[in-house]
Structure formats: structure tokens, C-alpha cells
Amino acid sequence: MGVTADRAGAAGFVTAVLRPWTPADAGALRAAVAADPDLVRQTGGAELSTDAAAAEHIARHLAPRGPRSYAFAVVLDGRAVGNVGIGAVDDVHATAWMSYWLAAEARGRGLAAAALAGASGWAVRELGTFRLELGHRVNNPASCRVATRAGYPAEGVERAKLRYGDERFDVETHARLATDPAPAVVGLPVR
Ligand SMILES: CC(C)(COP(=O)(O)OP(=O)(O)OC[C@H]1O[C@@H](n2cnc3c(N)ncnc32)[C@H](O)[C@@H]1OP(=O)(O)O)[C@@H](O)C(=O)NCCC(=O)NCCS
């Protein structure tokens, strides 16, 4: 079941969009991280156990717009349930680094690929980015599928790139060029 901008889903009419983070998303961010400890890493290891801490994280890391990084809340029926980050924006080479996560409650319906595709189109249009890059641990097949569906072919494996605790992980990198064919997935609109 794929999510596009608007569709009639099993649970009724569903609207998914990308928009900038706001302080009002603090409760949703805190709840998402509380429900999945893996998201602590995705949010930079920050302590987000209170709404105040989540609001501070949004103000410092998610809400600021550029010039080197941007973040979009993935909003499903009015609630922020994920993030797409555009980081390491490099105007010399017209490159950027993409990242994404979803709250556990929002997974399993293709939302991340639609969100990544929407943010990728925005980066090409609004920032003039030519090459968008991302990487996932090789033991994260869902992220690999998200990247591929959003139009990012795999390019290779970087050995032991990431260290989580005592363990190191190989990372597969993917990239999308502005001239690549459009992916089949419909990107979420940016509001
Ligand atoms: C990665 C993540 C964003 C994917 O969320 P999602 O959009 O709900 O993804 P889905 O559940 O729709 O799965 C995407 C695809 O992966 C497949 N998939 C999911 N789990 C899988 C598994 N364990 N093995 C193989 N394939 C799997 C799905 O079948 C789906 O395939 P399809 O595109 O062919 O239909 C989400 O799991 C997440 O936020 N994880 C934690 C943070 C994270 O890992 N971020 C990425 C860091 S690189």
C-alpha cells in the first residue's frame, strides 16, 4: 500500500505532506523517539524524553532553514510522523546528503520513499542540487528499498563506516542525479 499526496486509505482519507518543523511538533517528536529507541541515533543521540527537550531539538536542529541543511517534517493527517533531512549542502559541487526516518506507527505503507522523492525534487528545484547522496547500514533492507524506490540506485559499499557502540557496520551508498529518470513513486508535496 503506497502513500501519495492524497488517497483513500483503509482507515479513511489520508493526507501526507512535507512541511517545515514547528515547535508544535514537539509532542509528536518525543512520542516517536520514545516508541523506538533506534530513532535516538537518527536524532543525533539527543535526549528527547520531554516535550521541552523535543522543542529545543526542533528549534536548534530541525527548524533552521539553510544554508547548509534543511529538514522537513513528514506530516500524516496533520501529525508529524517522520523527517527527511537535506544536509551537507555543497554549492561548489551542487551535492547534498539525504536522511530519513519514520515513527514506528507510520511505517509499512511506503511513506518514506514518497517523502524522500518529494524532498529530493525540492532540493533539485529550490537549491539547484545536482547530486543527492545517502547511505544505509547493509543490515537495513527497508532503507535500501526506500532509496531505490525513490530513484537512488546503489553505488557501492563503504566498509566499516559507522560505529554503533562496539560494533562497526558496512554502509551502502546510493545517489540520485538531477538528470536521472523520475522514480515511479509520487513524491509528497512540500507545503
Ligand atoms: C527505513 C524506514 C524509513 C522505512 O520506512 P517505510 O517507508 O515505512 O518503509 P516500508 O515498511 O514501506 O518498507 C519499504 C520497503 O522495504 C521493504 N522491507 C521492509 N522491511 C524489510 C526487511 N526486513 N527485509 C526486506 N525488505 C524489507 C518493504 O517490503 C518495502 O518494500 P517495497 O518498497 O518493495 O514495497 C523506517 O523503517 C525507519 O524509519 N527506520 C528507522 C530509521 C532508519 O533506518 N532510517 C534510515 C537510515 S539510513
Side-chain angles (χ1 to χ4, degrees):
M1 180 168 68
V3 169
T4 56
D6 302 291
R7 69 170 173 78
F13 199 73
V14 174
T15 301
V17 299
L18 299 173
R19 62 148 170 78
W21 284 87
T22 76
D25 298 319
L29 176 61
R30 177 196 50 71
V33 175
D36 180 0
D38 274 357
L39 291 185
V40 172
R41 269 194 291 266
Q42 299 294 323
T43 51
E47 171 59 52
L48 301 180
S49 57
T50 65
D51 283 6
E56 170 78 6
H57 182 79
I58 289 169
R60 289 173 70 106
H61 300 289
L62 298 177
R65 313 292 294 165
R68 298 285 164 251
S69 68
Y70 300 80
F72 288 104
V74 182
V75 178
L76 192 58
D77 282 346
R79 181 175 170 82
V81 295
N83 181 63
V84 181
I86 305 172
V89 175
D90 181 330
D91 294 333
V92 174
H93 299 290
T95 56
W97 183 264
M98 310 298 285
S99 60
Y100 41 85
W101 58 260
L102 289 180
E105 69 190 74
R107 294 177 195 162
R109 57 179 99 184
L111 185 57
L116 176 61
S120 303
W122 183 89
V124 170
R125 286 191 311 275
E126 303 297 329
L127 304 179
T129 312
F130 181 76
R131 178 181 159 86
L132 301 161
E133 304 169 338
L134 63 86
H136 62 83
R137 283 177 290 156
V138 293
N139 66 345
N140 190 346
S143 184
C144 186
R145 284 294 303 152
V146 166
T148 303
R149 288 197 59 178
Y152 288 69
E155 293 194 328
V157 172
E158 295 178 274
R159 295 173 302 147
K161 180 173 185 171
L162 295 179
R163 181 173 63 184
Y164 291 168
D166 293 333
E167 205 174 350
R168 300 201 68 94
F169 292 90
D170 291 354
V171 169
E172 185 171 58
T173 55
H174 295 237
R176 172 167 183 75
L177 306 184
T179 47
D180 281 344
V185 64
V186 177
L188 298 189
V190 176
R191 296 280 155 82

